[in-house]
Amino acid sequence: MDKILILDFGSQTTQLIARRVRDLGVYTEIVPGDAELTGNIINSDIKGIIFSGSPESVNGEGAIPDKNVYTFTRADGGAMPLLGICYGLQRMTQDLGGKVESLPHVEYGRIGVKIKDQQEKKSLIQKFLKGFRDSFTAWMSHGDTLTKLAPGFKEVGTSATGYPAVAAHDEKPWFGLQFHPEVTHCENGDSILGAFVFNVCGCEKSWNMEHYIEELNTSLKERAGNNPVLLLISGGVDSTVAGAALLKALDPEQVHLMYMDTGLMRKNETENVKTILSKLGAKNIHVIMCEEEFLSALKGKTDPEEKRKTIGDLFITIQEREVARLKLPDSYLLAQGTLYTDLIESGKGIGKKARVIKSHHNVGSPLVDAKRKAGKIIEPLDKLYKDEVRRLGRFLGVDEEAIRRHPFPGPGLATRILGEITKAQCDILREADAIFIEELKKRKSPREVYLYDEIWQAFAILLPLRSVGVAGDERKYGYVLALRAIISEDGMTADVYPFESHDLLEISTRITNSVKEVGRVTYDISSKPPATIEWE
Ligand code: XMP
């Protein structure tokens, strides 16, 4: 499959470049900008390389790519096409003998660009320029500019402020853009990226779900052979879709799905998970009921960190015990719903190359470590972004209900019950939370979208506070419940969802009427930062 490699120099929009190119139908991979470009990174599938932007300067701390990048040839013998974006262009310029200097003022925002040489004779440059309009609005964010192009390069586009905006090499398939074609504010950005990917690199559109599923089926069959595969299921989208992929590719008898009900789950969660997995053809669903163990370990604990640690440790203990109880042969493989974004440090490429591994419930599990060391880990989703996982899930017939689900943290309701956690409190929160979510699935926004789908994550939090109220003629001393609903791209930052006030008022009334222990409902109006999404 044709592939575009992206060298990440730390720009916030590196991920976006990867997404745009994938949306054009071409597979992308991101590696740190200073990665050694050796055999396992550079292979015959790579048809071109994009250098990302960076918050750094080439004259300062900015990272330097492996110098071999300028001498690579492709499998077909031609020179490797390169596209530098912002810092990427400055990097190429500096490395290849041009000059980059600071601008008197940082250029930021929308800026006009004019393509200079429309009579361009060189056919490769012409092919690239096919993606551009003669003049268009681009989006820039740079403090440095090119004051001398590197030998062999010429300026084929200029910004309204008079600086080089598009550069092209006379002989080699090397190009540079001072602006960011990947951001939506750039007019025609997709067609500019498309011109590089298709006209210059000659990529074929081979990245689509049908093709991906075919490849995945073959590779899962090869990896697993006849050995059993164990997948730890949390009930979230990722592990459910990973389960669906395994069940589709392998003999369902081979696939073992293990799910732990810690007692910190949402209302009907365990039943829902079982139904969804059965519908996918699962034969071996191991549901471990361990509410009592978790609640007794949490008894008397109020410190958030201590609560989290208790849950993480117990999770590992039970996981090891239950896996041993299954008596799988040593050759069994462990599957995880790790996503592509879990494996790379998004937008921070440089110096942060750690492979961030998402283990079940976010605990560094010795079982996962041991299996990884033994080369017995399968990660069917490790090439996908979250929305691609959702698309894959739909192709594999995963319930829409499971696909739309809001994220739910590994430690479950424990992050939403402040103070000591008891069964009674879990039950109160479960009821109130279920009403909140049910209402969000029933109500529509002014844009006619269900509130649940417009909101990224919503849930209720039970506070260890009681306040005075009246119920009938009686004084009532009920718990305070907070509601949280946020919009976000990836959970890293979040804004408060701006409900229509009648929705909040009606939801609050329904909760206090139905859950007698709750006396008061508040709405959390804190964004992230400074607050986090969860309360603990
Ligand atoms: P915070 O609270 O850090 O949450 O703003 C960001 C996103 O991560 C989820 N979250 C967790 N997910 N294990 C998880 O699997 C955890 O320990 C955990 N803590 C927070 C949270 O629900 C939100 O989506």
Side-chain angles (χ1 to χ4, degrees):
M1 177 169 50
D2 288 350
K3 197 193 283 187
I4 294 287
L5 187 71
I6 299 173
L7 300 189
D8 178 15
F9 291 102
S11 165
Q12 289 191 342
T13 57
T14 303
Q15 290 282 338
L16 218 45
I17 304 172
R19 287 311 319 268
R20 296 273 181 262
V21 175
R22 283 184 178 207
D23 288 346
L24 291 171
V26 176
Y27 181 61
T28 52
E29 261 178 27
I30 301 176
V31 294
D34 59 356
E36 210 181 309
L37 300 176
T38 48
N40 53 356
I41 293 185
I42 290 290
N43 57 38
S44 59
D45 289 344
I46 295 189
K47 295 286 182 288
I49 301 179
I50 298 181
F51 290 24
S52 84
S54 172
E56 306 292 345
S57 163
V58 293
N59 295 313
E61 301 279 291
I64 300 174
D66 183 334
K67 61 180 183 327
N68 291 325
V69 75
Y70 299 113
T71 53
F72 282 137
T73 48
R74 302 201 317 185
D76 60 15
M80 180 67 78
L82 304 178
L83 174 68
I85 293 179
C86 192
Y87 172 93
L89 165 61
Q90 296 163 5
R91 184 75 266 165
M92 286 164 70
T93 303
Q94 173 108 333
D95 292 352
L96 298 168
K99 201 162 181 191
V100 176
E101 289 179 282
S102 309
L103 283 165
H105 303 287
V106 172
E107 280 199 323
Y108 182 82
R110 290 182 169 82
I111 291 173
V113 170
K114 268 199 166 46
I115 297 303
K116 246 185 164 177
D117 190 356
Q118 291 166 54
Q119 301 308 312
E120 181 53 59
K121 298 287 184 305
K122 298 273 178 187
S123 76
L124 195 61
I125 299 181
Q126 250 178 12
K127 280 189 188 171
F128 182 58
L129 290 180
K130 279 206 173 115
F132 294 70
R133 290 192 204 150
D134 295 346
S135 76
F136 58 96
T137 304
W139 193 85
M140 300 206 189
S141 168
H142 62 127
D144 288 347
T145 188
L146 315 187
T147 49
K148 186 175 138 234
L149 268 64
F153 277 89
K154 62 179 164 197
E155 183 176 333
V156 291
T158 309
S159 79
T161 41
Y163 297 108
V166 187
H169 196 280
D170 235 356
E171 303 296 332
K172 299 195 167 159
W174 293 352
F175 299 90
L177 306 171
Q178 186 50 72
F179 58 89
H180 290 269
E182 69 277 17
V183 304
T184 46
H185 318 294
C186 177
E187 270 181 344
N188 251 14
D190 281 347
S191 117
I192 295 170
L193 285 172
F196 176 70
V197 168
F198 299 118
N199 305 359
V200 175
C201 301
C203 288
E204 282 189 17
K205 287 192 183 197
S206 48
W207 178 248
N208 60 47
M209 254 329 138
E210 288 90 343
H211 186 173
Y212 181 72
I213 291 174
E214 261 172 49
E215 285 205 348
L216 184 63
N217 281 347
T218 313
S219 78
L220 288 178
K221 279 195 183 91
E222 267 173 22
R223 283 280 284 132
N226 292 323
N227 297 309
V229 178
L230 171 66
L231 172 71
L232 303 166
I233 291 269
S234 69
V237 183
D238 306 347
S239 56
T240 307
V241 175
L246 293 171
L247 290 164
K248 172 102 181 172
L250 308 176
D251 175 356
E253 291 292 356
Q254 220 180 325
V255 180
H256 294 260
L257 306 171
M258 186 183 275
Y259 168 85
M260 246 183 241
D261 181 335
T262 59
L264 303 165
M265 325 308 286
R266 288 167 289 189
K267 191 173 176 185
N268 298 333
E269 183 137 33
T270 301
E271 282 316 304
N272 290 342
V273 168
K274 279 200 273 189
T275 310
I276 288 166
L277 297 177
S278 306
K279 273 200 213 161
L280 290 169
K283 300 276 190 244
N284 304 307
I285 308 176
H286 309 285
V287 175
I288 319 294
M289 301 301 285
C290 35
E291 177 180 39
E292 266 176 38
E293 274 177 277
F294 274 89
L295 291 182
S296 62
L298 286 165
K299 198 165 187 312
K301 302 206 162 115
T302 54
D303 176 68
E305 275 314 303
E306 201 187 352
K307 284 169 23 186
R308 267 178 182 268
K309 182 161 181 346
T310 305
I311 293 168
D313 290 350
L314 187 56
F315 198 90
I316 291 173
T317 311
I318 298 180
Q319 178 185 315
E320 306 232 303
R321 181 183 78 206
E322 296 299 327
V323 170
R325 210 202 301 258
L326 285 182
K327 294 205 166 52
L328 297 173
D330 270 356
S331 58
Y332 87 89
L333 290 110
L334 189 67
Q336 293 211 109
T338 318
L339 306 192
Y340 186 58
T341 29
D342 299 324
L343 296 175
I344 46 166
E345 275 269 337
S346 71
K348 293 185 193 139
I350 290 310
K352 304 215 173 181
K353 287 178 248 169
R355 207 175 138 89
V356 181
I357 304 301
K358 173 161 124 191
S359 46
H360 192 56
H361 287 205
N362 292 7
V363 283
S365 152
L367 178 74
V368 175
D369 292 347
K371 280 287 176 191
R372 188 174 297 285
K373 265 203 201 106
K376 295 212 179 305
I377 288 269
I378 299 191
E379 292 169 319
L381 313 180
D382 66 352
K383 288 194 167 61
L384 303 182
Y385 285 84
K386 189 83 169 187
D387 55 337
E388 291 171 327
V389 168
R390 292 204 161 99
R391 248 192 300 147
L392 173 64
R394 289 194 176 103
F395 267 92
L396 295 173
V398 176
D399 238 54
E400 193 55 31
E401 191 70 13
I403 287 176
R404 293 160 74 197
R405 280 190 114 186
H406 289 175
F408 186 58
L413 298 184
T415 58
R416 302 170 182 177
I417 295 174
L418 274 60
E420 189 183 355
I421 297 169
T422 63
K423 168 131 174 62
Q425 267 148 329
C426 291
D427 287 341
I428 298 170
L429 181 57
R430 256 191 287 270
E431 278 308 310
D433 187 73
I435 293 173
F436 183 31
I437 298 301
E438 193 186 303
E439 289 292 326
L440 298 181
K441 287 183 174 168
K442 265 192 341 213
R443 293 168 183 267
K444 285 190 171 171
S445 72
R447 298 192 306 131
E448 285 297 305
V449 177
Y450 284 109
L451 295 184
Y452 187 78
D453 295 327
E454 208 165 88
I455 290 167
W456 199 78
Q457 192 173 8
F459 52 91
I461 307 104
L462 187 65
L463 308 190
L465 288 178
R466 298 221 262 171
S467 73
V468 175
V470 282
D473 291 333
E474 308 237 331
R475 273 168 78 83
K476 178 177 164 184
Y477 196 50
Y479 280 107
V480 182
L481 184 90
L483 301 180
R484 184 124 171 88
I486 53 101
I487 36 188
S488 175
E489 290 278 324
D490 51 11
M492 303 300 284
T493 59
D495 284 318
V496 178
Y497 182 73
F499 277 107
E500 301 278 299
S501 49
H502 73 93
D503 285 320
L504 276 179
L505 300 180
E506 289 157 16
I507 292 171
S508 161
T509 305
R510 197 181 147 204
I511 292 175
T512 44
N513 282 346
S514 320
V515 189
K516 64 179 187 334
E517 294 87 350
V518 173
R520 208 171 277 266
V521 176
T522 66
Y523 184 48
D524 179 354
I525 51 168
S526 331
S527 62
K528 171 182 179 177
T532 49
I533 296 175
E534 303 292 341
W535 276 42
E536 278 200 350

